[in-house]
Amino acid sequence: MTKPAHAPFLALPLALSAMACSPAPGSSDAPPSALEPGAYSLPEGAARHDELLADLDQQIEALEAEAEAKPNSYMVLERLANAHARRGRLTGEVEDYTAAEAALAEAFARAGEGAGPFLSQAGVDFSLHRFAAAEAALDQAEERILIDDPTWAAIHGLRGDLRLQGGDVEQALELISQAEATYASPTTMSRLAQVRWRGGDYASAEAGYLESLARYHGPDASVRAWAHLQLGILDLERDDDEAALADFMAANAELSGYYLVEEHIAEVWVRLGRTEEALGLYLDVIDRTQSPEFMDAVASLHLEHGDPADAQPWIEQAAAAYEAQLAAHPDLAVGHALGHYIDFGPSARAVELAEANFALRPNGDARADRVRAYLADGRLDAALEDAEALAQGSWRTANTLGAVVEARVAAGLEGEPATQAVLDELCGLAPKAEPCSE
């Protein structure tokens, strides 16, 4: 069973002057590859990613002018911060969140002591993986004398997201269920879908995302695209490639040109044997984002095609990019970078990052990553200890159960009843997975 694709909170852009001076893998100065990119065609969506960003830029410019014209209002600065944060969710660029933070800082300065946009601050802190700061901002937001139902639901929904990051599925479900009962919205239902997914209730998760789609009647195509994207990732965890591709194409039909959707389409194409098309799309996404995660995907394609010499430049460039990201934004980069080192080494670096990632967010997926890092580094006892914690825990995804099976098989325990019990549960979630279809 393949590891699931993780939709990043942020896909950080490269900022390496040295790399800007050297040819990128696949450039005219690179040796020709036996695997050549093929032509691909994606249906156009009702909205385009670049046009949505252009509209947002106009809104930001107008809000900046309004903020200057109303020097005593902090609420316009909060709207400006939220526009920057929304842009960040569409681009994955840290600079957008930095701009949001600057607007929030000015808003707090205008609001005076004890007042200000604490809920918006909590949202930005969460996006930047500053979880303790997000919790503190939520505490401040909840101290207001009057809180309407939508705000109360937003506060407790985000608290649920924080608990989920910390690995507490039950507490997350309780908080988000309270939010849903107080003020049902597309957001509360999407949050419920996420926590049910992590608890192993895939049917309820799928139904939740579909309900979230049905509830949303706004003009923002990215909201609908995001729901379809999550449905596709859920299907990838089930190893249902055809269903995943249909979901990703539906997301693309809502918002074409969105790199997170397109890279998942490329991933499914690889699984379906459409390798040349996938390579062409990956290269296009890399050209737009310079994301090392997609460089890793291209390296893996070359390795699977028997071209290690063509893979190596991509591996090296991705490693350099990850290290630059880790130096600049360690909390943001660690969860993505460790996958590179699990796959390509050195394994000691994978363990270092996996342990740092688990310290930041001790949830099931982070523990599963640590299992795989320990296995890559030959630390079987440590991998088995983490695998046992996963087997006994409440995080019941195909990803985490798969990590348990991998550790137990590596230890020669595949014939044990405990291993079979986990495998049976895994196959109940992902019946098309390789160990389930044999």
Side-chain angles (χ1 to χ4, degrees):
M1 178 178 174
T2 58
K3 289 182 291 183
H6 298 290
F9 286 102
L10 298 174
L12 302 175
L14 293 179
L16 300 175
S17 57
M19 289 173 59
C21 300
S22 60
S27 71
S28 58
D29 294 329
S33 171
L35 178 63
E36 295 293 338
Y40 63 89
S41 177
L42 294 177
E44 286 294 319
R48 284 194 53 83
H49 185 256
D50 53 358
E51 293 171 353
L52 189 57
L53 289 179
D55 290 342
L56 257 179
D57 289 340
Q58 289 184 350
Q59 293 174 33
I60 288 170
E61 185 176 351
L63 286 167
E64 288 172 339
E66 185 179 354
E68 187 174 347
K70 298 177 179 178
N72 296 320
S73 170
Y74 81 81
M75 289 183 287
V76 63
L77 284 166
E78 182 177 19
R79 295 199 302 274
L80 175 60
N82 289 334
H84 280 299
R86 182 184 169 212
R87 194 180 196 282
R89 289 190 291 273
L90 287 169
T91 64
E93 294 179 359
V94 177
E95 290 78 8
D96 289 318
Y97 288 97
T98 301
E101 286 190 290
L104 287 171
E106 178 60 26
F108 279 111
R110 291 186 183 185
E113 187 175 356
F118 290 105
L119 182 54
S120 294
Q121 181 67 61
V124 170
D125 285 332
F126 182 85
S127 294
L128 294 174
H129 298 184
R130 296 196 300 243
F131 301 133
E135 191 79 58
L138 288 177
D139 290 343
Q140 292 282 89
E142 203 165 9
E143 287 180 2
R144 289 172 51 184
I145 297 174
L146 296 176
I147 302 177
D148 60 21
D149 285 348
T151 302
W152 193 95
I155 291 170
H156 285 73
L158 188 49
R159 285 198 193 280
D161 289 345
L162 287 164
R163 297 298 181 275
L164 195 60
Q165 286 294 316
D168 192 337
V169 176
E170 293 87 352
Q171 184 66 19
L173 181 59
E174 180 179 343
L175 286 164
I176 295 171
S177 296
Q178 290 172 0
E180 164 73 5
T182 300
Y183 186 77
S185 70
T187 300
T188 56
M189 182 51 65
S190 182
R191 282 176 160 144
L192 270 179
Q194 179 179 222
V195 71
R196 287 168 174 165
W197 177 351
R198 272 53 176 186
D201 190 348
Y202 280 29
S204 291
E206 181 178 15
Y209 284 122
L210 291 172
E211 172 62 20
S212 178
L213 274 168
R215 288 182 183 182
Y216 184 71
H217 303 291
D220 189 347
S222 69
V223 175
R224 294 185 294 274
W226 181 257
H228 285 295
L229 177 64
Q230 299 313 300
L231 286 165
I233 297 171
L234 178 61
D235 281 326
L236 278 183
E237 276 215 16
R238 291 164 159 162
D239 271 33
D240 192 338
D241 298 335
E242 296 290 351
L245 184 58
D247 289 322
F248 296 143
M249 286 299 188
N252 185 76
E254 293 288 354
L255 184 65
S256 64
Y258 187 17
Y259 72 98
L260 282 181
V261 172
E262 291 180 343
E263 65 97 355
H264 280 93
I265 291 171
E267 180 182 359
V268 181
W269 280 350
V270 171
R271 292 159 65 115
L272 294 174
R274 297 168 61 177
T275 309
E276 291 79 10
E277 291 172 89
L279 179 58
L281 183 51
Y282 272 133
L283 293 175
D284 184 45
V285 172
I286 290 170
D287 186 57
R288 282 179 276 143
T289 68
Q290 294 298 297
S291 170
E293 289 189 277
F294 312 140
M295 296 176 191
D296 281 345
V298 171
S300 295
L301 275 179
H302 286 301
L303 289 174
E304 291 167 9
H305 201 260
D307 301 326
D310 294 314
Q312 192 58 36
W314 290 105
I315 294 170
E316 293 173 359
Q317 183 163 330
Y322 280 126
E323 290 301 331
Q325 292 178 0
L326 286 163
H329 305 283
D331 287 351
L332 286 176
V334 64
H336 305 295
L338 73 89
H340 169 89
Y341 291 103
I342 289 172
D343 290 339
F344 302 114
S347 59
R349 182 63 167 149
V351 168
E352 178 185 1
L353 295 177
E355 291 178 340
N357 186 53
F358 188 76
L360 176 66
R361 45 186 173 202
N363 61 42
D365 282 330
R367 193 183 288 276
D369 282 336
R370 196 165 69 171
V371 167
R372 293 183 173 108
Y374 285 146
L375 289 175
D377 201 44
R379 297 176 57 176
L380 185 56
D381 287 345
L384 283 172
E385 183 178 346
D386 263 348
E388 181 60 24
L390 284 175
Q392 300 301 319
S394 56
W395 200 285
R396 314 302 296 175
T397 64
N399 177 42
T400 54
L401 297 172
V404 175
V405 172
E406 289 167 36
R408 293 186 64 83
V409 168
L413 302 173
E414 57 267 34
E416 295 289 328
T419 305
Q420 187 60 49
V422 175
L423 184 58
D424 289 344
E425 185 178 356
L426 168 63
C427 293
L429 294 175
K432 295 186 177 183
E434 183 176 338
C436 307
S437 56
E438 293 176 350

